[in-house]
Amino acid sequence: MSIVLDGKEKAGAAAEWLDLGLSHMRESRFGDAINALMQAARTPGASEEVVKKALAAIEVINDINGFVNTDLMNP
């Protein structure tokens, strides 16, 4: 993915990082997804919508990773 142009990030870079993060998320590659989604949220010039979507996706991943089925813990 080419995101840097003349030393400055393109305006659409945040959206590209978001798309990459969501793609990793669908493939259950949660570590890679979080890294890409964090980059989307931190990219200069990222729209408020992209930042909100990235942070919401990270929250979902954290919920998935922290899920515990208590019924399976006490047979």
Side-chain angles (χ1 to χ4, degrees), residues 10-38:
K10 299 187 297 184
E16 291 179 19
W17 280 112
L18 177 64
D19 290 343
L20 179 63
L22 295 176
S23 175
H24 287 318
M25 188 175 164
R26 284 189 293 275
E27 297 169 356
S28 298
R29 296 175 56 191
F30 297 129
D32 293 333
I34 289 175
N35 290 336
L37 293 166
M38 288 297 293

